[in-house]
Every structure is written in structure tokens, then in C-alpha cells.
Amino acid sequence: MTAQLTQPMLPAEVPLHERDGRYLRHAIALADQARARGNRPFGAVIVAPDDTVLAEAWNANGETGDCTAHAETSAIRLASPRHSREALAQATLYSSGEPCVMCAGAIFWSAIGRVVYGIDAERLRVFRGERLDQRDAELSCRDVFNTSGHAIECIGPALIDEASASHHGAWKT
């Protein structure tokens, strides 16, 4: 009997309502802006239930040299001084890619109650390759959210093809 190599099962794409699709596409557009500015292609937008945009940001670590300048963390840094934890708990953070461990921690600390993301970490790892300077901690944002004392709804991956487009040719091989 020979052992068969099996590919890991990639997460299935989640269908979105129109509102979620609109804001996730906005986050993807921010990822494209990040890439055009020489950064890694990630974008995030935080939206209140009444459609007020509380903050938006793109990854800026390439242009700032700040390794923590991820889109989600930067958006939270913009939103949290201006909006209460209660307001953020009602908000949704839309991210072009699955939040990394650092960003998931920032989402937890901000009390944001809902996250919708595009490309998942497993698919992102294909773009990142094996270079150590492009690797991430292989822990799902859901693992971080599941340890939270408050509920954080997590929806994704979604719009995978659209969210993936920003990454084609963007990573060093």
C-alpha cells in the first residue's frame, strides 16, 4: 500500500450580502492602493451599522518601515481614539485578506464585533512562498477570536478571486 499525498483542504468561499460585498470590495481597492505605493497589498475599512465609515487604511509598512503598519491595525489606530468601544463593538471591519495574528489581537482589543475578509491565510501562503521574510504565524484569526470573552463574528473567505488579484506578482519569489 502506498501513501497518498493529499492537498490540504482550502476553506470554501462564503457568499456575501450586497452590503458586505460593497465594503469588502472597498477594502480590496485599498489593497490595490497599497500595492501601487510599494506596500504589501492589504486594505481594511471599518464601517458602522448605519454605513458610516469609521476608518480606512492600507498596509503601509513598505513606505513607513513600520512592521506593524498592517491595514487592519492602522484602521483601528485611526478609529479607536475617535469612537467608543461600544460603537466599535457594533462595527464591521472589512479586510482584503484574513487578519494575521497581530491584527486579530488588535481587533480583539478594539472590541470590534464583526470581521469580513477576502482571501484566506492558506491561499495567501501560496503567494508568499517560502521566503522567511514573507512568512506569517500559521494561526487563524478565528483561533484568536475564539479565545475572546466577547463575540467576534468572522465571515470569510469571500470574493476570493477579486481579493487574490491584488497579490498576483506582488510577492518576491
Side-chain angles (χ1 to χ4, degrees):
M1 190 162 133
T2 60
Q4 289 185 323
L5 296 176
T6 59
Q7 293 284 339
M9 189 76 131
L10 293 174
E13 185 164 2
V14 176
L16 296 179
H17 296 290
E18 183 277 330
R19 178 184 191 268
D20 286 340
R22 180 171 16 111
Y23 288 115
L24 183 52
R25 285 183 177 97
H26 183 70
I28 294 166
L30 291 167
D32 292 337
Q33 288 182 27
R35 181 176 176 175
R37 296 172 66 103
N39 302 295
R40 292 189 173 154
F42 296 97
V45 60
I46 302 172
V47 182
D50 68 357
D51 288 334
T52 301
V53 173
L54 304 180
E56 62 182 45
W58 55 74
N59 180 304
N61 56 14
E63 61 189 299
T64 65
D66 179 356
C67 65
T68 68
H70 291 196
E72 301 92 333
T73 300
S74 295
I76 291 167
R77 284 183 182 141
L78 293 169
S80 63
R82 298 189 334 241
H83 304 282
S84 70
R85 288 178 58 82
E86 293 78 18
L88 292 174
Q90 300 302 312
T92 299
L93 184 144
Y94 295 90
S95 178
S96 63
E98 181 175 352
C100 71
V101 173
M102 177 185 70
C103 293
I107 292 164
F108 161 78
W109 286 112
S110 73
I112 289 171
R114 187 167 182 266
V115 174
V116 177
Y117 68 85
I119 186 172
D120 55 274
E122 290 85 354
R123 288 176 176 89
L124 274 170
R125 287 185 191 109
V126 173
F127 288 107
R128 288 180 167 159
E130 294 299 318
R131 289 177 53 111
L132 292 179
D133 64 332
Q134 297 180 159
R135 303 272 323 255
D136 67 325
E138 294 188 16
L139 188 65
S140 168
C141 67
R142 283 183 171 87
D143 294 330
V144 176
F145 299 158
N146 287 340
T147 66
S148 173
H150 61 274
I152 303 173
E153 182 182 6
C154 186
I155 299 166
L159 305 179
I160 295 170
D161 290 341
E162 293 176 54
S164 297
S166 304
H167 296 274
H168 289 284
W171 296 87
K172 299 173 188 170
T173 55

